[in-house]
Every structure is written in C-alpha cells, then in structure tokens.
Amino acid sequence: SEVLVQRDASGLTAAIAAAGKGHTESLELMIKANPNVLLQKTNSGTTPAIAAASNNHIGALRLMIETKPDVLF
C-alpha cells in the first residue's frame, strides 16, 4: 500500500514510527502487507529495528527478528 512507503520530511515512515512506539500489532499488519517495510531508513539512518531497540520495545524487535532474521544487519 502506498501509505506504507510515505515519508515525512525526516524520512520517518509508519513502520519506523510504529516500531519506535512499540505498536507491535500495527507493525505486524504492515509487515504482512509488505515485509520490505523493515528495510526502511530515515534520513539519519534509523530503521524500524533501531527505533524499537532504542525505545526498549522488545516485543516489536522480536517480531522483526522472527519475520526477517537479517533485519539487524
């Protein structure tokens, strides 16, 4: 869906925002619609995995690792 790739001025996407806020259920729906959302980066290089880890959202991070084990590399 087009909304999954939309970015704000800093490059923030829905998936990065959901991961950073720990919205695991929303993130799971986005991943099911397009697993490549896990590869998105903000202008400063923040990925969904970095956003989740930086904010101690272990459930979101676990979901991403289970879905795409190489998401951290």
Side-chain angles (χ1 to χ4, degrees):
S1 171
E2 186 177 317
V3 74
L4 295 180
V5 295
Q6 290 180 342
R7 300 173 176 276
D8 71 6
S10 69
L12 186 68
T13 64
I16 297 169
K21 301 245 184 225
H23 297 302
T24 306
E25 291 177 7
S26 298
L27 185 60
E28 184 173 18
L29 292 172
M30 291 180 221
I31 293 168
K32 285 181 180 178
N34 181 358
N36 288 331
V37 298
L38 297 178
L39 304 176
Q40 296 172 335
K41 292 183 180 180
T42 64
N43 297 347
S44 64
T46 299
T47 64
I50 291 170
S54 296
N55 292 289
N56 297 315
H57 295 302
I58 304 306
L61 190 57
R62 183 178 295 123
L63 169 68
M64 290 182 271
I65 293 169
E66 289 172 355
T67 302
K68 193 169 182 69
D70 61 346
V71 74
L72 301 178
F73 305 103

